[in-house]
Amino acid sequence: MIPTITCGLPALLFAAAAFWMRPRPNGASRPSNAASTAVLLVAWAIAITGFNPAVQDAADLVTRDLAKLISNVLLLCASLSVVGFLFALNLDPESARARLRPRLRLLALTAAVMSIAFFATPADRRWSSPFTNTHWGQAPATLTVYTIAYVAFLGYATYGALTQTWRRSTETDWRVHKIGLKAVAGGCFCVLVYALYKVVNSAAGLVNVDLFPGGPRCTSMVTPYRCAFSFTAPLTGVVLITAGLTVPAMLWPLAKRRLTAWHRQTAEIMAPLWQDITSVNPDVVLNTVGGDAEPDLVLHRRTVEIADGILSLEEHRSRAVQRAAEEAVASTGLTGTEADAMIEAAVVAGAIQAARWRARAQPDPAPLTDHGSAREADLEKEAVWLRLVAEQYTRSEIVHRIAAAHQPPVQHAA
């Protein structure tokens, strides 16, 4: 299982990095965060490769426990890549580079301290040696220095990423983005569990207590049980962090396409209501602006024009039509927003007819539905509401029947 995971997951991450850096058709530029995303994916892919048993065996042929040094340094680089990705995402390029530079210097210093402590420790006194495994309390101080340097930087980088992602997850309104950021925070927590394991294990070693016994290699994700902390926890962190940072970004084009389709469909549904309102009150039509043929702009204009048109028809809103619509809707058992939209559609249909025939103004006009004032607060909510009204205006038999039954009297010429 472990060889499969440590080979398959890096291959997937390398493929994802290549996807982000692929040439765009027609010379289009890459997204602004493409490079930082690719660096993040490659860093984690290399870090996971360091856990592969074949790679570790090859490194240990050079000198005992060299694989541990390599995998630890790679994990530090990967953890910093998360921080760098978040800087690139949240800051302008110059500010991101300025904040990343001191952390890169600190990473280089930490790797140097770890390397010096590692090679200063005799091979027969390193972690997997028979002596150290049976005499934890007599382990060289250089191993403690190594662990302190490693855990300090890992905890510093991971905690910074955890606080950034959790704070952003509470601020964003996009659900997929929120889930992704919380997944990153969960991954950071797993890495912190791994760092805590290193601290506890080292502290126990100083008093010659072996809290996490086991051989030099993990035979599965949880055997021996120390592997749940030394292997599974950081690997789970890797999966959650990379998925949380990349999947929402990869889903964005699909979400954008879906949103564009909704804009176009909503504008089409509103079209009959818009045509009837603007035919009796052309003044609500906004001036054309260049480039406003985009679906979101068409919907924006149509929403504002219909809302203004409904307001302009206020004097023709009949309470008789409203009462008849309420009774008809109540007889069907329909309640909630759909019922409100049907009643509003009937009132608007009657008002359009009255305006078209130049009927007298109502002495006591029917009030606007609460949903009709949403434009002041949220244009998107207003669009959703007017879509419901437009659907009922076009398709509801109740609306058509009531509008036909309450036609205003024809005005005769004097």
Side-chain angles (χ1 to χ4, degrees), residues 17-185:
F19 170 81
W20 278 97
M21 296 305 293
R22 75 190 189 282
R24 265 45 178 189
N26 303 321
S29 59
R30 298 186 181 94
S32 59
N33 63 331
S36 57
T37 303
V39 170
L40 171 78
L41 294 169
V42 169
W44 281 113
I46 295 174
I48 296 171
T49 303
F51 285 94
N52 186 277
V55 174
Q56 292 188 331
D57 288 339
D60 287 347
L61 288 176
V62 178
T63 182
R64 182 189 295 273
D65 289 334
L66 179 61
K68 185 180 184 70
L69 172 64
I70 293 174
S71 62
N72 287 166
V73 171
L74 290 176
L75 190 58
L76 294 185
C77 295
S79 65
L80 185 60
S81 73
V82 177
V83 179
F85 178 88
L86 293 172
F87 285 160
L89 196 65
N90 300 330
L91 304 172
D92 62 88
E94 186 57 38
S95 298
R97 285 192 292 268
R99 296 188 64 176
L100 189 60
R101 287 189 197 103
R103 289 168 172 79
L104 287 171
R105 289 193 288 267
L106 183 59
L107 172 62
L109 177 61
T110 302
V113 170
M114 290 168 59
S115 299
I116 292 171
F118 175 83
F119 287 107
T121 305
D124 60 357
R125 293 294 187 271
R126 293 175 189 159
W127 299 277
S128 65
S129 66
F131 176 85
T132 301
N133 271 298
T134 55
H135 301 84
W136 277 99
Q138 301 177 37
T142 48
L143 294 185
T144 303
V145 172
Y146 177 102
T147 301
I148 291 173
Y150 173 61
V151 172
F153 186 88
L154 183 64
Y156 168 67
T158 305
Y159 181 75
L162 174 61
T163 55
Q164 284 192 70
T165 52
W166 186 259
R167 184 176 64 253
R168 287 292 299 274
S169 72
T170 61
E171 297 172 351
T172 181
D173 294 326
W174 189 28
R175 185 174 61 180
V176 176
H177 195 197
K178 186 186 295 289
I179 293 173
L181 289 172
K182 288 188 175 180
V184 175

Side-chain angles (χ1 to χ4, degrees), residues 174-402:
W174 189 28
R175 185 174 61 180
V176 176
H177 195 197
K178 186 186 295 289
I179 293 173
L181 289 172
K182 288 188 175 180
V184 175
C188 291
F189 177 78
C190 291
V191 176
L192 288 176
V193 168
Y194 166 69
L196 180 62
Y197 153 78
K198 299 294 292 183
V199 172
V200 172
N201 194 37
S202 298
L206 294 176
V207 294
N208 202 26
V209 176
D210 190 4
L211 292 177
F212 303 94
R217 290 285 186 273
C218 293
T219 55
S220 77
M221 302 286 283
V222 293
T223 54
Y225 76 88
R226 67 171 177 80
C227 294
F229 303 99
S230 65
F231 178 80
T232 304
L235 185 63
T236 302
V238 168
V239 173
L240 290 175
I241 290 170
T242 52
L245 290 177
T246 58
V247 171
M250 297 175 73
L251 289 177
W252 168 244
L254 298 177
K256 187 176 181 181
R257 189 176 297 115
R258 181 180 178 184
L259 183 61
T260 299
W262 186 86
H263 286 157
R264 184 177 292 108
Q265 182 188 54
T266 301
E268 291 173 355
I269 290 173
M270 288 181 178
L273 177 59
W274 175 83
Q275 290 169 355
D276 288 349
I277 287 178
T278 55
S279 68
V280 298
N281 189 359
D283 292 340
V284 300
V285 177
L286 301 174
N287 293 329
T288 302
V289 179
D292 64 355
E294 293 295 325
D296 58 334
L297 295 177
V298 171
L299 177 60
H300 185 132
R301 286 172 54 91
R302 192 153 290 178
T303 299
V304 173
E305 290 167 355
I306 291 176
D308 287 346
I310 290 176
L311 288 174
S312 71
L313 294 171
E314 184 175 7
E315 65 178 5
H316 295 297
R317 294 173 64 88
S318 169
R319 283 189 179 270
V321 171
Q322 187 179 59
R323 284 193 297 270
E326 289 172 347
E327 292 172 0
V329 171
S331 67
T332 66
L334 192 64
T335 59
T337 304
E338 187 176 355
D340 293 341
M342 190 177 295
I343 295 168
E344 177 67 12
V347 174
V348 171
I352 290 173
Q353 286 188 143
R356 182 175 292 136
W357 294 349
R358 294 182 174 83
R360 291 187 299 272
Q362 293 287 327
D364 184 21
L368 291 168
T369 308
D370 290 341
H371 297 279
S373 61
R375 172 173 166 263
E376 298 177 3
D378 193 320
L379 189 63
E380 183 178 352
K381 290 180 180 178
E382 173 75 343
V384 172
W385 164 247
L386 290 179
R387 171 177 171 144
L388 293 174
V389 174
E391 286 177 330
Q392 299 299 333
Y393 179 84
T394 305
R395 304 171 187 172
S396 173
E397 292 183 5
I398 291 177
V399 171
H400 297 160
R401 185 174 70 248
I402 292 175

